[in-house]
Amino acid sequence: MCSVRVRDEQESPEVKLKEQIGKHPRYCFTYEGQPMRADVTNTAWHAALKRSGIKDFRVHDLRHTWASWHRQAGTSCDELKDLGGWKSRPMVGRYAKFATESLLSAASRIESRREGL
């Protein structure tokens, strides 16, 4: 689990991630124009984590965030399976989690149908 100390909204992980959009035609995280690999363990990476106050974090954790954001935005399990390169839907479920708001919306669907009767 990643713990993040956020000083203000402009420094939040979501804001920092969104700043990367469009900087490379294919990859989200690059260094000197090359894609960052999953085995990033160099001094610069550790220094950046320390400066940001992020503890217990791996680059792979971003895959979980990416998948969860997709599910919360309405991407289907089958679409996400193909996008993420997973071989099965159960693997998608391990990575992609719904936000509480999404579950509340899903749970309330039956209430709105009952009220219409």
Side-chain angles (χ1 to χ4, degrees):
M1 173 80 57
C2 171
S3 61
V4 179
R5 175 181 47 89
V6 178
R7 293 184 200 107
D8 63 43
E9 191 173 305
Q10 289 185 331
E11 294 181 12
S12 74
E14 291 85 3
V15 170
K16 294 299 181 188
L17 285 172
K18 288 177 183 175
E19 289 174 357
Q20 298 307 310
I21 295 173
K23 288 188 175 182
H24 191 276
R26 182 170 179 190
Y27 297 102
C28 182
F29 299 99
T30 60
Y31 178 71
E32 295 182 350
Q34 298 299 312
M36 291 176 63
R37 303 290 178 206
D39 61 348
V40 174
T41 56
N42 63 30
T43 305
W45 173 255
H46 291 289
L49 290 175
K50 186 174 181 176
R51 276 193 319 272
S52 66
I54 298 174
K55 297 181 175 148
D56 190 26
F57 184 78
R58 303 162 299 151
V59 171
H60 184 77
D61 295 333
L62 296 172
R63 186 164 165 85
H64 291 267
T65 302
W66 172 83
S68 294
W69 284 357
H70 261 285
R71 288 297 290 138
Q72 292 165 26
T75 304
S76 75
C77 283
D78 289 327
E79 290 170 323
L80 189 54
K81 181 176 73 70
D82 293 340
L83 285 169
W86 290 289
K87 293 182 180 179
S88 68
R89 290 182 81 194
M91 282 304 294
V92 174
R94 286 181 160 180
Y95 281 84
K97 305 297 180 206
F98 275 114
T100 306
E101 302 83 42
S102 298
L103 295 175
L104 179 60
S105 173
S108 67
R109 285 184 199 132
I110 196 166
E111 291 300 319
S112 61
R113 293 189 108 204
R114 287 182 58 203
E115 289 171 3
L117 296 176

